[in-house]
Each structure stands twice: as C-alpha cells, then as structure tokens.
Amino acid sequence: MLEQILELRRKGLSFRKIAKELGTTVGKVQYQWTKYMKSLEEGEQAADIEERNKTEEANNPFETSAFHPLMKKNICEILGNNGMGARVAAATSAFVFWRIPKGKWRILDQYYGIKQHECTLILKANDITSIIYNGKNAHSIKQMELQNGTEYAVVGDLQANRSYCFEIGVLDYYQTFVPILQSNPIQLPRTNKAHAGVLANDMEKWVEGHLAVPNWIEHVSTYSYYEMDREDVKKK
Amino acid sequence: MNYSYFHVVVYANLPVANLFSTEQNKRNALYEKSAAFINFLQHVEQEKEQYPIHLAVPPVYYDILEMPLFQKEMTEFLEKNKEAYEKELHYWREYSKKLNKAIRYLLIQKKLELLASAATFSPLTNLTTTKGISMQIDKGRAIIENLFNYDPTGFWFPNGSYTPGLDLHVKNAGFEFSFLKGETIKFSDPLPSEEGTAVVSPHGLMVFPIEETLTTILENKLSNRNDIQNEIVSIVNAYNHYRHQGAITMAVELSIFTERRSELNKGMMYLIDEGFIAYISPAAYQNQFKEELDQVHLCASCLQTKKASSFKEFGSYYADAVFMEKQWEYLNTHDVDVERRALAQLEKEWLLLTGLLVEMTEENRELAENHTKAAEKLLSFLQGSYDMEWLQEREKKVSILTASGMQTNAKERLNKQTSKKKALILSWEYPPNIVGGLGTHVAGLTNSLVKKGYEVHLITAQNIKLAEEEKDEKAGLFVYRVKPLNSLEENFIHWIAGLNMRMWEKAMELGAEISFDLIQAHDWLVGAAAASLKEEWNIPLLVTIHATEYGRNGGIYTEMQKFIHEKESQLIAASNGIIVCSDYMKEELMQIFKVDQKKIYTIPNGIDMNISYETTCQTISDLPIGKEKKVVFAMGRLVKEKGFGTFLGAAKKISLYNKDICFVLAGVGPMYEEYKYYIETNELQSVVFLIGYLQEDQKKELYKRADIVVIPSHYEPFGIVALESLVYAKPTIVSNTGGLKAIVEHQKSGIVVEPAETQQLIEGIEFLAANKKRAEDIGKNGRKLVEQLFSWNRIGDETIRVFDEVVIQHKMKETVF
C-alpha cells in the first residue's frame, strides 16, 4: 500500500483523496505515511538492507542451483557455435572457418529483417600488414560472396608475406557490409629474400629485451597483444 | 675443405586412429604400417650406421604398442601374412610382442633418438588454445618419458607445420631444438648471416633446416648413392662456413627411408669416412655454437603444402576440431559440474580427430566422422543427462592413454553463487558515457538495486578510444563495457547493430556462470540483443522506455524515424513489462503502440540525494558577487514557457531598493539574446547575471551558493530540474502550475506563486530574504519531500516490486504449460 500512497502523493493528491482512491480510511493512509517518514528520519536504510538480505537468504522463492543447466548450454553455445578462425593454407592462400550462433541470426532478423536461410554471406579478406585492424584501416580489401549456409572457405590469390584477418558478415538492404565475426590475424609465408628485412628492427629490439611483447603475429599468443594500447606496438 | 654436421630424421605418420575403426581392413592398414615399422627397427638394430637416427612417430603409437588388443591383432595379422612378414614376425616374437622393449634397447645403444611431438601428431597450427597445445605436447612427452625413461629434448612439428608463436609453446614445454623446412630458414627475417646452419627462433628454440633437395633425391626411385653423395657434397660446398657450424638435416618419411636406405647408407658412409660430414648430437651442437647462432623470425611453414582441395573437402573437420577444443578447454579450466569420465573421453576423441588432420583423405573421412560424432554426443551429455551405457561402451572402444591418466588441474572456481536475485541490464549509455538522461537514470537505478540486495550485471558501450573492460564497480554491481566489431562505423544504425551483437556475446559469456532472473533493456537501442537473449534463456524481459521517436518528433516522418519506431514496436512486443517515468508516457505508449495498460508500469525518475561538498570550481568567484549578498538563482532552457521573463521583471524592481540581493540565471536557448538586451537596457549588469550553459560541477556550485531558488515556469510538465534544487535544501519558489504545484506545500516546503505574477514573486523573494530561519526550514522540508517521493531509495523499491511481479508472472506461465 505504501507504494500506492507514494505514487498518488507524487500526483499531488491529498491524504483524503488518496484514501478515497485506495478505498481505505484517512487514518490508515496517514499511519502508513507517518511510519514511512519515521523510518527515513531514523536512517533505517542500513538496517533495511541487512534485514532484506537476511530474509532473502532465508526464504528466497527463486532457487539458484549452483550449476544451472542453462549455464552449460550457454558455454557450449558461445564456445561451440560462435567464432571464426583463419589458418595459413599455402604461400598465397588461407583457410577460413566460422560458426554463427542462432542468437546472432535472431538479432539480424529482428534488426535488419535478414533471414539466416535466405541471405548471401560475405567473406571479407583484409590486408592488415603491420597494423592493428580497427575495422576501417585495412590496406586493401577483398570481398567474396558465398552461398548461404557455408561455414568455411579457402581464400586464394592473396599475397605472400602479407598479413590478413578475415570477417564474415552479410549485406543490409543498402548493400553495406555488416560484420558478424572476425578471425585471428595470420601472416602468409615469405617466399623470397626480398621479403626479409621488414622485421629486422623489431627482432633486434626483441633480442635485446626492449620489447615486452613481440611486434608480429603469433599463433595462440599468450600476450594479449591486440588488446593492448602500447607505445611499443607498432602502427604503420 | 668444407665439412658440415648432419642429422637424419625418420618420421612416420602411423595411422593410430585406425585402431578404433570397426572395419578390420582399416585396422589392418595400421598393422601393415606397423610391420614396416618393425622392419625399420630391425634395420636400425642390425645395421652399423655410424650415426643415430632421430625418430618421430605419434607418441600415442608407443602407448598403443602396449595395448593387449593391438598386440593380439598384430600377431594375427603377421601370422596370417607370414610369407610376406617372416622377418618381422620373428622380430615381433623375439621381443614378446612388445616393440617398446626393442625401442628401449635401441635407445640404450644410442642407435636411435626419439623426437617428441604432439601426442597424436596433430599439426599444432590447427590447435587453438594454449591449454590444448600444451596438453598435446605434454602428453606426447609424458608417454616417451614414462615408457622409455628417456628425456626428449627435440621436438618434431608434424608435417613440419609451424607458425610463429608455436616456438614459445614448445620451448615452454622444455624442448631445446626442432626442425623446419630449409626454405623457411633461408628466408628468415633478418636473413641468416650464414646459410645452412641452425638458427634460434624468437622464443629461443634452436631450429635446424631440413634440406629439401635431399628429400627430393631420395624420393626419386632412380637415384643412387652417387646422386646422394654428390648432392650432399655440393650442399656442403655451397655453404661457406667459417666457423664450421653447418648442419644438414635429412628428413625422410619411413617408407621412403626403408626403400632407399641401402643406397643412402652407402652414400653416407663414404661421406663420413671422407670427412665431408659428421654427426653431432643436437645438444653438443647447441653447446658449441649457441653464442653464434642468429636469432631470427621464422614465418609460417610446412613440409608438404596441402592441396587446396584438402581444406575444401575436409574443412568442416578442421573447424569441428577447433570448436571442440574451445569447449574442452573451458570445461577443463573452470569448475563446472561435469562428469569427469565424459570430459576425459572428449579429450581422447579430440586428440584422435586432430591427429587425423595431419593427412586427411577420403579413406579416413569415416574415422574423422566417428570421432566428431562421439565428441558431439559427449558435449550434449555435459549440457543435459548422461547416457552412461553409451559412455562405457565408447570408453572401451576408444581407449588410449589410459595408463597416463588424466591430470586433475587446479580449476578456476566460478564466482560463488549467491542466492541474490540477478538482473542483466543492457544500456547503451552509462557513466562516464553520458549523452542524455538515460545514463544518469541507469546509474542511479543500478546503485539503488544493489543497495537493496540485487546482483546487477550491466553491459554498456565503451568509449571507442578505449579497450573493452570489466569492472566490479561496487559490491554486487558489475559493469562490462564492450565495443562492437565495427566500433569505428560511422553509420549509427550499423554501429548499433554491431553493439547488439557484441552485447549478446558478452551476455552469453556471463550466462555461462550466472543464472539471471530477468533482463532489463533501456530504450530500443539495445532491444535486439535483449530480445534475442530472452528467447535464448526464456526469462522475463523488462523494457524501460525513456522516450519515443514518435513523441520526440511529433510523429514519424523520415526513414530513420520509421526504422527506430519499428524497433521500439518490436521491443515492446517482446517485453513482459514496460516501465515509463510518467503517466504521460504511459498514455503515449498506449496510444501509439496500442499497448495493454496492464503491461505498463509508471515509476518516476529518481534523483540522487547525495550532494558532495567539495568546492572545486570558480563559476561563482568569477562573478562580482560579494559574500554578503543574497543570491537568487534560476536555471533552465531559455524558452518563453519557463517564465524567466517574470524572473527578470522581479529582479529589476527589487534592485531599485534592495542592494543586498543579486540574481543569477543559467541556461541557453532562443530567449538568450532578448534577456541579455533587457539586462543591458535596464542597466542591471551589476545585479543580474546571465551565465549561459552550466557543466555538472558548475551547476552544483551554483546550487550550493544560492540562497533562494526560483522556478517561474508558466508551463512545466514536470522534469527533473524541478527536483534538483529541492535536493540542495534551498528554499524554492515554484509556480503554481503543472507537476510542481502538486508537490510543494506553500510556506511549508516551498513558496508557491501564480505564474507570470511578478508582484507575488517579489513578495516571495523578500519574505525568504528577510526570514532566515523560516527560509532554512522551508528548504529542509523541500529536500525531505523529494527524498520521500523521488529518492532512488524509493524508486529502487518500486522498481524491484515490478521486477518481482514480472518474474512471478513469468514463472506462473511456465508452470501452467
């Protein structure tokens, strides 16, 4: 009842009008109000919290079992059905694979009206040699249309010694690319001596111990390289 | 004369997974290869090669050699084909079917050195987690250590598959050296100062170059010992080593070695005798030359590039292995309640599947299928109920590494599950990213909720200049700031789509450890993620609508507005309940979206009762106002209906006779110039100050300094501004209009005057200026009023009531059906 009284009070009703509205007596309304005022004055807040917490622990109608089955389902969904990866396949090609969870398809459907089983998939190869990719700064981009339902591809015609990361996404109504997942970065192999030299400086610094983090792409890196905002991380 | 050191590596991709095929002929393929292996061991034992051979096979093969099933079927196989395998059968029997004994003997004789590798020969480049990589490497090593009491210091990358970074994992596992395709070392960065020697990888692993020309020659059936010799000599001469640290490595597949070994041997013997080449153990080489080796970056590499068709045809298995690994890794590192046997079996299936990937063919597709299906089944158990019968069967059928057993690692304990109710709140705005009132509202709300015992997990957008972060803001309140993949996207609609997808991901990650009772979404911006999660988890969704596009624009006119309006509709439809801040909004929703009023809850915006007393700014000291003066303060958007004209009129009159009072008006708007003109023409510059837009702390300063606050609106549907001044316990004069009149009691919690009545306003100001004690009391009462009706403490309670109601309704619906 107190909540209702407060609500009506906020609308500017007098106690008499409130009593009428709630179908009770003025006395009862005033009693509730006075009680509430007193609790505010006595700074009961702290005690309030404690009490509430105690009673909650005691008779919580919502039981929370330690390992709810839904939790495991979420683990499997987020790790087993969501993600993208890239591997070096040859000097000029990469193997790229992905899984898009239905939760994301739901978002695309609700937001853009894009249907999982009807849309065209777009695979984007971004040349990110010597830079940290921020979504917009690739040196060059190659975009490929894939058949609906595809979950992996071999991307050829890439350049040796260049680094790439890939994105899988869809096109919206206006043909703009909407990225859904992004792969790890890979560096394609060097195939001749001319390719060497780019990392000479970094290697020297690394060997001398001046770099805390390697300034090149590493597989399953134990450094959180791409999340760091460091001066010694090179951005060309 | 130049000479060089050399090593010979023999590797065999023995088809260990075939042991678990149900078809005899597939298993026979393993036995056939094993017979060839026996032949090899025999050769090594009998021949007097002056150098040990470095052998690389899947370590799990050694484990299989111990298995009774293998020994039994191998015996049968040899006996059945005894004409072809007479020698092998003899050797097999000599060692009582235990080939590992033979290997042990050869190790002691130093005729053989073992190279460790990934347990099932899975190319490390296919693995995806640190734990996965170290597990495969460690298991491989453990098998060799346990069975042979041998400490391998060399590591073999299956198929020579390498990518930068793997050297760290191999080095960390305790290995000192390895081998890679010569071309990779030739094109290292920087270029090696001398070709044909070992180099050191960035993480300190010594790597010997494999001479591919030798492999080619050996593979050519027509070549003979002379060809081999000549090639080696030309290699030795080509590399001019001043310090004699050349190292030639021949890496040959076992079947080729067996076929060509007699020619090879003859050639090698000659060269060794003549002094062109000499064997050195890698350890000795390292000791001798380690100071002089170049440390270089080595690029991605492999011995035999797979045809593109391999990935095209079997790509799904590579992908399956990766997603399997991620789940395995999580379940192994987090204290999740899963059946240990199922997890152990999952590990085995994954090990065998990844081992197959080193050489996928149509023949072993079925085997790959086998393991993929089994892994899927095991993962489904972990989510639901276990089929123990099936598990038992499978354990028997696919049993490797039963001897080595599973290590019980320390696992990360999940956050202790409390019995608190847990809310997931999505809001695109949250301090310090404040654009409008939404962020402030959510901040106040979350604070209140946690004070009242809720556990709140809030996901919001991070500033694009910063990295994502997770923070325990205070006890019970966890804030996750995320960035979409397309965080630099300029198109707002696309940016929001990306944000929703990232929020969904984050929420799902949290959902792995937390069981939420409800989701709350603020405005349409986070609606797609909220609706998707609601469907995923089947828990109630509450939406707080702060404003509508329709209401903002007085209708829907552009494409963008139409889009947003549609998103609002969808979110409203998906929600179990909607919270709005006023009945006005409630009416708006009912009218525009035809929402059932039972679904709408009106809870006014709360206000923060805390006012900090730090004086940091100088807005006031910049103004020429003496400390003894009384300050009358008003603020708001400078539009006609806010009634500041009346305020200025009163100021003008009062200033004629009362020099102790001055007036400050803050805010910007269309009336600014007019008010400025008024002040100038009436020469009020020393008494009335028009100070423009105020930042948060400047505003606080003014409220603190003010002696009297005036809200002279002619029309006020009642916004937060009105509450703010009351919070500062300043005696406030309000217009008898709109929402204000309902709240303030004249002479008790404020002074109420008729709108646009200048004389009444003057009287009010003078009364408060003259009666200090009364003014103080009135101010205090005003603050109490706000506290009673609008404090977050109160609003929090009401919000929780709505939360609880919606959750109960939802549960009831669930149990009915």
Side-chain angles (χ1 to χ4, degrees):
Chain A
M1 166 137 103
L2 178 61
E3 283 85 10
Q4 291 164 304
I5 294 174
L6 289 177
E7 201 186 310
L8 296 170
R9 203 63 196 107
R10 285 195 279 257
K11 292 195 177 135
L13 273 63
S14 66
F15 285 144
R16 192 165 300 282
K17 290 210 181 116
I18 292 175
K20 188 161 176 217
E21 186 78 26
L22 296 182
T24 183
T25 67
V26 177
K28 288 200 178 121
V29 172
Q30 281 174 331
Y31 174 72
Q32 286 290 327
W33 182 257
T34 323
K35 204 170 83 169
Y36 171 60
M37 297 286 284
K38 247 190 154 182
S39 76
L40 283 184
E41 273 167 27
E42 283 160 18
E44 214 214 53
Q45 279 194 46
D48 217 61
I49 300 163
E50 254 190 71
E51 241 248 297
R52 184 182 268 271
N53 280 344
K54 266 194 228 140
T55 46
E56 269 201 88
E57 308 257 1
N59 45 322
N60 193 340
F62 311 104
E63 66 169 13
T64 43
S65 63
F67 302 109
H68 209 267
L70 182 58
M71 290 195 247
K72 291 187 225 169
K73 196 156 166 273
N74 287 332
I75 295 169
C76 293
E77 187 68 14
I78 197 72
L79 294 173
N81 286 331
N82 177 55
M84 186 172 189
R87 303 277 184 266
V88 174
T92 55
S93 63
F95 168 64
V96 188
F97 57 92
W98 57 87
R99 281 192 189 166
I100 303 171
K102 52 176 159 42
K104 285 189 180 168
W105 283 118
R106 257 185 245 126
I107 290 174
L108 289 169
D109 188 0
Q110 201 239 38
Y111 200 78
Y112 288 115
I114 292 174
K115 303 286 177 201
Q116 178 181 3
H117 300 294
E118 289 167 11
C119 66
T120 311
L121 287 175
I122 302 292
L123 176 62
K124 204 157 147 271
N126 306 296
D127 182 328
I128 53 154
T129 307
S130 303
I131 58 173
I132 296 186
Y133 185 52
N134 63 16
K136 289 229 166 242
N137 57 351
H139 299 295
S140 68
I141 296 171
K142 195 166 123 143
Q143 212 162 285
M144 294 146 270
E145 258 187 42
L146 297 173
Q147 205 178 33
N148 180 282
T150 313
E151 290 194 310
Y152 62 89
V154 176
V155 183
D157 287 329
L158 299 171
Q159 284 183 286
N161 198 34
R162 305 290 292 178
S163 303
Y164 295 87
C165 87
F166 300 85
E167 290 168 291
I168 189 77
V170 289
L171 294 177
D172 78 335
Y173 182 76
Y174 298 99
Q175 303 297 299
T176 315
F177 177 72
V178 180
I180 303 172
L181 292 165
Q182 188 176 314
S183 78
N184 53 294
I186 55 168
Q187 185 181 5
L188 292 180
R190 288 183 283 270
T191 53
N192 62 61
K193 292 192 179 173
H195 286 155
V198 177
L199 290 172
N201 243 336
D202 291 320
M203 268 309 294
E204 201 184 309
K205 285 198 218 141
W206 172 255
V207 168
E208 288 168 10
H210 298 317
L211 285 183
V213 171
N215 212 1
W216 53 82
I217 297 166
E218 294 217 324
H219 184 67
V220 190
S221 177
T222 50
Y223 308 98
S224 56
Y225 168 62
Y226 274 83
E227 283 149 21
M228 287 200 264
D229 203 339
R230 304 172 66 99
E231 284 162 30
D232 53 29
V233 169
K234 201 195 302 187
K235 292 178 205 190
K236 276 200 187 138
Chain B
M1 180 190 86
N2 281 345
Y3 74 88
S4 183
Y5 294 111
F6 77 93
H7 304 109
V8 173
V9 174
V10 174
Y11 61 89
N13 182 19
L14 297 163
V16 293
N18 285 43
L19 184 61
F20 309 109
S21 170
T22 44
E23 292 170 48
Q24 184 66 55
N25 63 335
K26 284 241 163 60
R27 297 204 295 279
N28 285 347
L30 172 62
Y31 302 130
E32 229 179 273
K33 288 265 151 71
S34 301
F37 184 62
I38 293 175
N39 186 297
F40 166 80
L41 292 174
Q42 226 173 355
H43 164 89
V44 172
E45 196 179 301
Q46 289 163 2
E47 288 299 310
K48 290 177 179 42
E49 269 135 0
Q50 292 174 17
Y51 52 90
I53 292 183
H54 293 264
L55 175 68
V57 302
V60 92
Y61 181 72
Y62 301 128
D63 186 73
I64 283 172
L65 290 176
E66 300 284 309
M67 288 169 66
L69 168 67
F70 174 84
Q71 291 171 2
K72 172 167 166 286
E73 290 206 344
M74 182 64 183
T75 311
E76 282 167 17
F77 176 81
L78 291 172
E79 284 175 351
K80 204 158 171 204
N81 301 294
K82 78 171 116 185
E83 299 84 37
Y85 296 122
E86 197 188 312
K87 287 218 259 141
E88 288 82 350
L89 186 54
H90 177 79
Y91 193 82
W92 175 252
R93 285 194 181 128
E94 203 185 303
Y95 283 99
S96 333
K97 312 177 192 174
K98 295 188 159 69
L99 283 182
N100 286 332
K101 273 203 205 146
I103 296 172
R104 253 176 244 127
Y105 173 70
L106 293 172
L107 288 172
I108 294 169
Q109 297 287 306
K110 300 262 180 244
K111 289 185 161 200
L112 206 61
E113 299 286 355
L114 295 183
L115 293 173
S117 188
T120 48
F121 246 34
S122 124
L124 297 182
T125 47
N126 280 328
L127 305 184
T128 264
T129 64
T130 301
K131 192 161 176 71
I133 293 176
S134 21
M135 184 274 268
Q136 293 222 15
I137 296 177
D138 290 343
K139 278 229 152 76
R141 182 199 208 113
I143 292 169
I144 292 174
E145 281 178 350
N146 294 334
L147 285 175
F148 305 113
N149 203 23
Y150 175 91
D151 178 27
T153 46
F155 187 84
W156 176 254
F157 289 104
N159 193 30
S161 283
Y162 173 80
T163 189
L166 285 175
D167 56 328
L168 177 61
H169 297 280
V170 169
K171 194 78 199 332
N172 282 346
F175 296 102
E176 291 297 325
F177 68 92
S178 186
F179 308 85
L180 285 179
K181 183 164 81 171
E183 186 185 288
T184 303
I185 290 159
K186 193 159 146 206
F187 301 141
S188 65
D189 196 344
L191 291 169
S193 49
E194 284 193 29
E195 279 190 19
T197 77
V199 292
V200 176
S201 81
H203 293 288
L205 186 67
M206 184 170 69
V207 180
F208 292 100
I210 296 171
E211 285 297 337
E212 294 127 290
T213 52
L214 287 174
T215 315
T216 314
I217 287 185
L218 281 170
E219 285 172 355
N220 179 357
K221 301 203 176 155
L222 299 174
S223 67
N224 61 25
R225 59 168 287 188
N226 287 319
D227 298 314
I228 298 168
Q229 275 166 222
N230 291 338
E231 183 58 33
I232 294 180
V233 171
S234 70
I235 291 172
V236 170
N237 286 332
Y239 301 145
N240 222 334
H241 300 301
Y242 292 106
R243 284 160 281 162
H244 301 293
Q245 65 200 56
I248 299 174
T249 301
M250 233 172 302
V252 177
E253 203 270 318
L254 188 138
S255 57
I256 296 180
F257 177 79
T258 302
E259 254 185 65
R260 318 286 289 125
R261 68 189 176 208
S262 109
E263 288 303 303
L264 175 65
N265 212 26
K266 291 184 201 145
M268 296 292 284
M269 282 306 144
Y270 170 75
L271 293 168
I272 295 171
D273 289 341
E274 292 297 308
F276 284 102
I277 56 175
Y279 176 78
I280 190 174
S281 79
Y285 182 93
Q286 191 176 34
N287 273 337
Q288 194 171 349
F289 298 115
K290 64 173 175 249
E291 304 301 319
E292 299 154 53
L293 297 176
D294 293 325
Q295 193 166 9
V296 293
H297 174 271
L298 298 164
C299 67
S301 173
C302 71
L303 285 179
Q304 283 160 357
T305 310
K306 286 189 227 298
K307 289 176 265 153
S309 58
S310 171
F311 279 120
K312 286 198 180 130
E313 277 174 60
F314 306 111
S316 63
Y317 298 112
Y318 292 93
D320 286 344
V322 167
F323 291 107
M324 219 183 275
E325 180 182 350
K326 288 194 190 169
Q327 291 170 85
W328 166 84
E329 196 259 358
Y330 186 91
L331 296 170
N332 246 311
T333 50
H334 293 78
D335 199 2
V336 186
D337 168 33
V338 291
E339 175 60 55
R340 283 183 68 235
R341 280 167 59 191
L343 195 52
Q345 190 60 30
L346 175 65
E347 187 172 298
K348 294 178 188 175
E349 306 290 345
W350 177 64
L351 277 167
L352 289 166
L353 174 64
T354 48
L356 284 167
L357 296 176
V358 76
E359 208 183 310
M360 271 307 292
T361 60
E362 205 47 56
E363 281 73 49
N364 55 21
R365 180 196 282 276
E366 200 195 301
L367 292 171
E369 261 315 299
N370 188 4
H371 294 297
T372 309
K373 287 267 171 317
E376 266 171 34
K377 202 165 176 130
L378 288 161
L379 284 167
S380 76
F381 287 174
L382 299 168
Q383 290 180 48
S385 58
Y386 294 86
D387 183 348
M388 291 310 281
E389 235 182 82
W390 180 92
L391 176 57
Q392 220 161 355
E393 273 287 323
R394 187 72 191 174
E395 278 172 332
K396 272 200 228 122
K397 243 204 271 185
V398 179
S399 57
I400 47 166
L401 304 171
T402 37
S404 3
M406 280 268 287
Q407 276 177 307
T408 39
N409 311 309
K411 288 190 186 179
E412 211 180 291
R413 286 226 106 236
L414 297 177
N415 287 328
K416 186 163 168 275
Q417 295 293 310
T418 60
S419 59
K420 281 187 182 180
K421 289 184 223 159
K422 299 175 194 72
L424 174 69
I425 300 187
L426 306 181
S427 167
W428 87 298
E429 240 190 85
Y430 191 78
N433 295 344
I434 303 278
V435 176
L438 202 159
T440 316
H441 168 97
V442 176
L445 175 65
T446 49
N447 273 311
S448 180
L449 290 174
V450 302
K451 279 204 190 116
K452 292 171 187 302
Y454 252 81
E455 190 179 294
V456 173
H457 296 263
L458 177 91
I459 306 179
T460 183
Q462 174 64 297
N463 182 321
I464 58 175
K465 294 202 178 80
L466 304 173
E468 290 197 347
E469 66 170 6
E470 292 185 13
K471 247 208 232 165
D472 290 8
E473 298 261 321
K474 51 167 68 156
L477 175 59
F478 306 90
V479 179
Y480 311 89
R481 296 180 170 87
V482 299
K483 273 166 51 168
L485 273 182
N486 56 348
S487 68
L488 294 184
E489 174 60 64
E490 278 144 13
N491 179 310
F492 184 66
I493 296 293
H494 288 317
W495 190 87
I496 291 291
L499 180 68
N500 273 270
M501 284 201 276
R502 183 67 194 116
M503 282 186 161
W504 179 88
E505 257 176 11
K506 194 62 178 177
M508 288 295 285
E509 275 168 48
L510 297 177
E513 294 180 16
I514 303 162
S515 175
F516 291 106
D517 295 286
L518 67 104
I519 307 170
Q520 188 196 27
H522 289 266
D523 272 355
W524 72 273
L525 297 146
V526 296
S532 183
L533 289 166
K534 174 203 150 105
E535 229 186 283
E536 192 89 34
W537 296 339
N538 191 22
I539 59 175
L541 168 61
L542 264 165
V543 173
T544 297
I545 303 274
H546 296 265
T548 66
E549 199 60 11
Y550 190 104
R552 247 192 281 267
N553 301 293
I556 297 298
Y557 306 107
T558 68
E559 278 302 311
M560 173 83 132
Q561 289 167 8
K562 185 158 163 242
F563 177 83
I564 295 176
H565 181 78
E566 204 185 292
K567 299 307 130 203
E568 288 170 350
S569 270
Q570 285 169 315
L571 183 56
I572 286 168
S575 66
N576 296 82
I578 306 164
I579 296 174
V580 291
C581 69
S582 65
D583 282 340
Y584 175 80
M585 282 299 299
K586 181 171 173 173
E587 288 298 320
E588 195 175 284
L589 289 189
M590 281 162 63
Q591 195 201 3
I592 303 171
F593 297 100
K594 312 277 182 264
V595 187
D596 180 0
Q597 69 166 329
K598 281 195 286 227
K599 207 170 154 181
I600 309 177
Y601 302 89
T602 306
I603 304 178
N605 279 321
I607 190 148
D608 189 359
M609 299 299 297
N610 287 330
I611 46 182
S612 61
Y613 283 100
E614 302 149 25
T615 38
T616 45
C617 27
Q618 302 141 294
T619 322
I620 279 291
S621 46
D622 281 347
L623 299 172
I625 299 176
K627 285 211 172 84
E628 72 293 352
K629 299 262 194 203
K630 291 234 186 298
V631 173
V632 180
F633 177 52
M635 106 164 210
R637 199 153 139 56
L638 300 184
V639 289
K640 260 220 175 87
E641 64 259 31
K642 294 285 184 185
F644 297 121
T646 315
F647 178 77
L648 291 174
K652 177 178 168 187
K653 289 235 175 88
I654 290 178
S655 68
L656 291 172
Y657 53 84
N658 190 330
K659 300 300 174 191
D660 295 328
I661 302 181
C662 63
F663 301 81
V664 177
L665 175 57
V668 291
M671 297 301 289
Y672 186 89
E673 290 303 318
E674 196 176 308
Y675 294 156
K676 190 158 160 241
Y677 182 72
Y678 183 89
I679 292 169
E680 279 163 12
T681 26
N682 289 287
E683 292 176 3
L684 297 168
Q685 296 95 317
S686 55
V687 185
V688 183
F689 306 96
L690 194 59
I691 59 176
Y693 182 77
L694 288 181
Q695 296 291 347
E696 194 60 30
D697 10 351
Q698 292 169 316
K699 188 176 74 178
K700 285 183 182 169
E701 272 309 297
L702 241 348
Y703 274 124
K704 273 189 232 151
R705 174 60 181 87
D707 295 286
I708 297 167
V709 176
V710 179
I711 306 179
S713 314
H714 299 170
Y715 168 70
E716 182 65 80
F718 182 44
I720 296 249
V721 170
L723 299 181
E724 282 181 341
S725 74
L726 294 168
V727 167
Y728 283 86
K730 299 292 155 137
T732 308
I733 303 175
V734 305
S735 268
N736 190 22
T737 183
L740 299 172
K741 71 174 181 191
I743 307 240
V744 174
E745 254 183 275
H746 183 59
Q747 293 278 349
K748 183 139 181 287
S749 44
I751 301 292
V752 185
V753 301
E754 287 306 308
E757 287 292 327
T758 317
Q759 190 51 38
Q760 280 193 30
L761 180 54
I762 292 172
E763 281 164 18
I765 292 173
E766 300 208 308
F767 171 75
L768 290 175
N771 295 285
K772 192 167 169 196
K773 182 72 176 53
R774 282 300 309 284
E776 222 177 273
D777 287 341
I778 288 173
K780 286 205 185 111
N781 289 336
R783 178 179 158 92
K784 245 191 244 159
L785 190 76
V786 172
E787 189 180 20
Q788 288 161 18
L789 300 177
F790 299 99
S791 70
W792 270 117
N793 182 37
R794 199 62 247 152
I795 302 304
D797 278 339
E798 302 206 17
T799 311
I800 286 177
R801 187 176 59 87
V802 171
F803 280 8
D804 291 350
E805 191 177 312
V806 167
V807 170
I808 289 175
Q809 274 173 11
H810 185 259
K811 281 199 193 268
M812 277 170 45
K813 250 199 278 173
E814 292 301 297
T815 49
V816 165
F817 294 108

